Amino acid sequence: SAAYWLATAAVTGELLLGGIWDIARLPFVAGLVTHLGYPSYFLVLLGTWKVLGAAAILVPRRALLKEWAYAGAFFTYTGAIASHLTTGYDRGEVGLLAAFTVLTVLSWSLRPASRRTPRPVRALDAPAGWHPDRALPPGPPAPDAARTR
């Protein structure tokens, strides 16, 4: 859907561009991270994961990898919100970070079936009389012990 692709483009664009800025340790970004109390090497770690996360969300298939990438983006944005609120530094960023958090959740929730992990069968979804021990068709009969000697 259009909403999925718009939200996904915004999130992956920010992850990719922000990740590149982090890896490059641009002065603006390095100053922000320092004011928030993080060491400068944190930028390279975070930036690398952002770029990899953007790629994971965009590539076809690999649904479980996408789940991890969405979780990482969510933790990145909510962690940044907490850092800004805790330190009181540049609180104007909180609104933008909250918007990216919402866009991340929106992209995750609207993703098509081909980008989702398979949903396991739950007992409540199963037909009447279904039981997990009888879920598989019977296998071949066991060999007769007397004939195998």
Side-chain angles (χ1 to χ4, degrees):
S1 76
Y4 163 76
W5 283 111
L6 286 172
T8 302
V11 170
T12 56
E14 193 286 326
L15 288 172
L16 185 61
L17 185 60
I20 291 169
W21 287 1
D22 290 350
I23 293 167
R25 297 184 191 187
L26 294 182
F28 162 74
V29 180
L32 177 70
V33 168
T34 301
H35 275 95
L36 293 175
Y38 295 103
S40 63
Y41 67 83
F42 184 68
L43 282 171
V44 177
L45 295 170
L46 186 60
T48 301
W49 288 115
K50 284 180 177 180
V51 170
L52 292 173
I57 290 171
L58 290 174
V59 298
R61 295 179 295 278
R62 307 285 189 242
L64 187 58
L65 189 60
K66 289 179 193 328
E67 294 284 337
W68 282 90
Y70 278 116
F74 182 83
F75 296 147
T76 295
Y77 296 132
T78 56
I81 290 170
S83 294
H84 282 277
L85 292 176
T86 301
T87 63
Y89 181 74
D90 201 7
R91 289 190 181 191
E93 291 284 317
V94 172
L96 183 60
L97 293 165
F100 277 113
T101 303
V102 169
L103 287 168
T104 299
V105 172
L106 188 65
S107 174
W108 175 82
S109 64
L110 295 177
R111 69 200 188 287
S114 64
R115 294 175 171 267
R116 294 176 181 258
T117 52
R119 191 172 143 224
V121 175
R122 300 179 313 161
L124 297 175
D125 297 333
W130 179 86
H131 189 274
D133 292 339
R134 295 182 298 235
L136 300 175
D144 185 24
R147 283 190 278 162
T148 58
R149 291 184 188 176

